[in-house]
Amino acid sequence: MEDVKKRKIEEASGNGEEILTYSEDHLRSLLDPLAKPQLVDLLAKLGSQYPSIAEEIKGVASADPVHRKLFVRGLAWNTSSDTLRAAFSEHGEIEEGAVIYDKASGKSRGYGFITYKYMESTQHALRAPSKLIDGRLAVCNLACEGLSGTSATLDLTQRKLYIGGLSPNVTSEMLLHFFGRHGDIEEGSVAYDKDTNESRGFGFVTFRTVEAAKKAIDDPQKTLGGRNIIVKLADSHKGRTVQAQLPPAMVPMALPLAAGYPQPGKAHAGATPVGYGYPQTVAAYPDSSYPSPPTAPYQAQSQIPYPYYIGKQ
């Protein structure tokens, strides 16, 4: 195609036809108002017609390692850097790859990074972000996106399940195979102890859809490894655990009182409201019998004379 274009240009120049040329600034002024989708379509069309332009696009896209670096989480504690690189080498040439270890203990922190040489390899790996490595389903996404690239979405609480009551001989492969009948699994593993690498009797499974998670919860068949297992939303299990450890705090609140009653700790200002008396301090009653209250001496009040009215006979 490129040779055909060249021949047309040569023929046009040989026939004396004027060939229009555009400066870089002029082309920039034409491209500047275009939206991103229009620019992408234009470059894709030119790249498919001219291999040199395609190589230029590839070089620019792969120049920044941000577009080539993957964050891989959910790794087993015994997964090494060599194992990690071998698992992702199927997608293309790896420039750098390593598991991250704790400096103090020297043990794996359960995640690592993979940097490909070309951006196409990264995009190919992201088409299938979940990968079974050393018996655990690891998940990858662009490192620049952090956790927001995969499961840190709004519906994660409706897709992630807590699986309890697991037998010690249940592996992550068995767990994923058992729940895979309900739908595609994004992430899942049995929880293992860091020191002994033994099962802790529970695990987690994150489905790609909320519907698959609901099917797993509603499934009456919940027997795995010879035991009845517990299947529920991971968020609800976490919430109950926190409530059991941390009882709700009692926060004192000032309640409004009706007019005429004193506020606690404050002196009442103003005159005493009519009809309301303030409670006085009451002394403790003695153990002896209650004495009769003293009676004041009776004083006879003077009678008020009333006038006599004499009617007519």
Side-chain angles (χ1 to χ4, degrees), residues 174-195:
M174 297 172 61
L175 182 70
L176 297 174
H177 178 74
F178 180 82
F179 285 96
R181 56 185 174 168
H182 302 298
D184 293 336
I185 297 176
E186 180 180 284
E187 184 180 2
S189 174
V190 174
Y192 293 95
D193 186 88
K194 291 184 179 180
D195 299 325

Side-chain angles (χ1 to χ4, degrees), residues 101-313:
Y101 294 90
D102 185 83
K103 293 182 179 180
S105 62
K107 296 182 180 180
S108 170
R109 302 183 66 178
Y111 65 88
F113 295 93
I114 289 289
T115 303
Y116 286 100
K117 187 174 182 179
Y118 301 107
M119 185 178 176
E120 295 111 322
S121 303
T122 307
Q123 294 175 336
H124 190 268
L126 290 173
R127 294 191 184 102
S130 303
K131 191 180 297 294
L132 192 64
I133 306 175
D134 286 338
R136 296 192 63 172
L137 194 62
V139 182
C140 69
N141 59 275
L142 282 175
C144 61
E145 296 177 352
L147 293 178
S148 62
T150 51
S151 61
T153 57
L154 294 176
D155 63 345
L156 175 61
T157 57
Q158 303 299 320
R159 297 186 292 111
K160 186 174 183 179
L161 301 182
Y162 166 82
I163 316 298
L166 295 177
S167 172
N169 59 351
V170 172
T171 62
S172 296
E173 292 93 332
M174 297 172 61
L175 182 70
L176 297 174
H177 178 74
F178 180 82
F179 285 96
R181 56 185 174 168
H182 302 298
D184 293 336
I185 297 176
E186 180 180 284
E187 184 180 2
S189 174
V190 174
Y192 293 95
D193 186 88
K194 291 184 179 180
D195 299 325
T196 63
N197 202 31
E198 296 180 354
S199 172
R200 300 178 62 185
F202 66 91
F204 297 94
V205 171
T206 303
F207 287 95
R208 293 191 183 277
T209 62
V210 177
E211 291 74 17
K214 290 181 179 179
K215 287 174 59 179
I217 294 176
D218 297 336
D219 186 6
Q221 184 181 353
K222 293 184 174 68
T223 303
L224 178 61
R227 289 187 181 183
N228 293 327
I229 59 176
I230 302 171
V231 181
K232 57 184 176 181
L233 292 175
D235 189 65
S236 63
H237 172 77
K238 180 180 178 181
R240 277 196 286 270
T241 304
V242 172
Q243 289 179 2
Q245 294 177 352
L246 299 175
M250 300 295 292
V251 180
M253 298 180 63
L255 299 177
L257 300 178
Y261 289 95
Q263 298 289 342
K266 295 183 179 180
H268 186 272
T272 303
V274 179
Y276 292 93
Y278 291 92
Q280 304 296 329
T281 304
V282 180
Y285 290 109
D287 296 335
S288 59
S289 59
Y290 300 114
S292 300
T295 57
Y298 177 76
Q299 295 180 357
Q301 296 181 353
S302 59
Q303 295 183 355
I304 301 175
Y306 293 92
Y308 292 93
Y309 295 93
I310 302 175
K312 294 182 179 181
Q313 295 295 331

Side-chain angles (χ1 to χ4, degrees), residues 21 32 44 51 64 66 87 97 100 116 137 298 310:
T21 58
D32 187 62
D64 193 345
V66 171
I100 304 302
Y116 286 100
L137 194 62
Y298 177 76
I310 302 175

Side-chain angles (χ1 to χ4, degrees), residues 70-73 75 84 98-100 110-114:
L70 294 178
F71 170 66
V72 186
R73 59 189 175 84
L75 297 175
L84 178 65
V99 174
I100 304 302
Y111 65 88
F113 295 93
I114 289 289

